[in-house]
């Protein structure tokens, strides 16, 4: 049987459409390709961006900024020693890029200049830490990426 050029074009189109449909279906049904937005209210957070930049600049102008270290108990966030802990308030947000269900937020409550994020709440891998805090009337922001 001889195939003319019209039939060959139709066969090529059918093969190409089948190829594209295979990838569309496999990408939309496979859970490993399921990715969420960074935050639900993306555009609202974008409007807050300049405020975050200003708060980060305030933090850079401190004598000492926030530090963190990994311990056996978890992550210890160290606030500057020269500040009165009674006037420090805010929250710590831990974001897990690979799994939205692991994200959590903790209010800052200090008995000394350290805040412990317990080991049981953290899985191995990459975390983004965002400490949004206020001392007296000044607001500060500390961001970092860690591998736990």
């Amino acid at each position: 049987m001889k195939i003319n050029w019209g039939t060959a074009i139709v066969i090529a189109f059918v093969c190409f459409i089948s190829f594209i449909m295979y990838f569309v279906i496999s990408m939309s049904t496979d859970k490993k390709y399921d990715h969420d937005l960074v935050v639900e209210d993306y555009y609202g957070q974008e409007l807050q961006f300049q405020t975050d930049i200003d708060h980060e600049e305030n933090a850079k102008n401190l004598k000492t900024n926030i530090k963190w270290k990994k311990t056996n108990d978890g992550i210890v966030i160290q606030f500057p020693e020269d500040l009165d802990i009674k006037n420090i308030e805010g929250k710590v947000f831990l974001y897990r890029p690979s799994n939205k269900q692991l994200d959590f937020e903790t209010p800052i409550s200090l008995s000394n200049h350290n805040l412990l994020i317990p080991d049981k709440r953290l899985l191995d891998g990459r975390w983004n830490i965002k400490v949004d805090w206020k001392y007296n009337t000044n607001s500060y922001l500390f961001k970092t990426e860690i591998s736990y």
Side-chain angles (χ1 to χ4, degrees):
M1 177 174 140
K2 190 172 179 182
I3 298 177
N4 65 15
W5 63 272
T7 308
I9 289 175
V10 170
I11 291 172
F13 275 136
V14 169
C15 290
F16 179 73
I17 290 170
S18 299
F19 174 76
I20 295 298
M21 289 304 294
Y22 165 75
F23 278 109
V24 168
I25 291 169
S26 66
M27 293 293 172
S28 62
T29 59
D30 197 350
K31 292 294 181 196
K32 73 178 182 179
Y33 300 117
D34 188 22
H35 298 290
D36 295 321
L37 290 174
V38 174
V39 290
E40 292 297 324
D41 184 25
Y42 178 78
Y43 296 108
Q45 295 255 343
E46 190 67 29
L47 296 173
Q48 184 73 20
F49 192 62
Q50 184 59 48
T51 306
D52 288 351
I53 292 172
D54 295 340
H55 293 174
E56 281 185 274
E57 280 300 315
N58 289 345
K60 289 178 184 175
N61 292 332
L62 290 170
K63 288 182 204 172
T64 56
N65 201 353
I66 290 178
K67 297 178 185 135
W68 69 275
K69 66 179 176 180
K70 182 179 174 182
T71 63
N72 291 336
D73 298 327
I75 294 175
V76 175
I77 298 174
Q78 301 171 333
F79 287 85
E81 296 284 334
D82 58 336
L83 303 180
D84 184 17
I85 59 172
K86 295 174 192 160
N87 297 332
I88 296 175
E89 58 187 35
K91 59 188 175 184
V92 177
F93 179 68
L94 279 91
Y95 166 71
R96 179 70 182 229
S98 62
N99 190 346
K100 177 180 169 181
Q101 281 72 33
L102 296 176
D103 298 353
F104 65 94
E105 186 173 282
T106 304
I108 296 173
S109 59
L110 302 172
S111 56
N112 57 18
H113 287 285
N114 298 329
L115 175 70
L116 176 67
I117 307 295
D119 183 56
K120 64 183 178 184
R121 298 211 54 194
L122 302 169
L123 294 176
D124 291 344
R126 180 177 165 213
W127 288 90
N128 293 350
I129 298 178
K130 180 179 177 181
V131 182
D132 189 8
W133 60 291
K134 192 174 194 177
Y135 181 72
N136 293 335
T137 59
N138 295 332
S139 295
Y140 304 97
L141 182 66
F142 174 77
K143 291 182 186 178
T144 190
E145 297 173 1
I146 65 167
S147 292
Y148 188 75

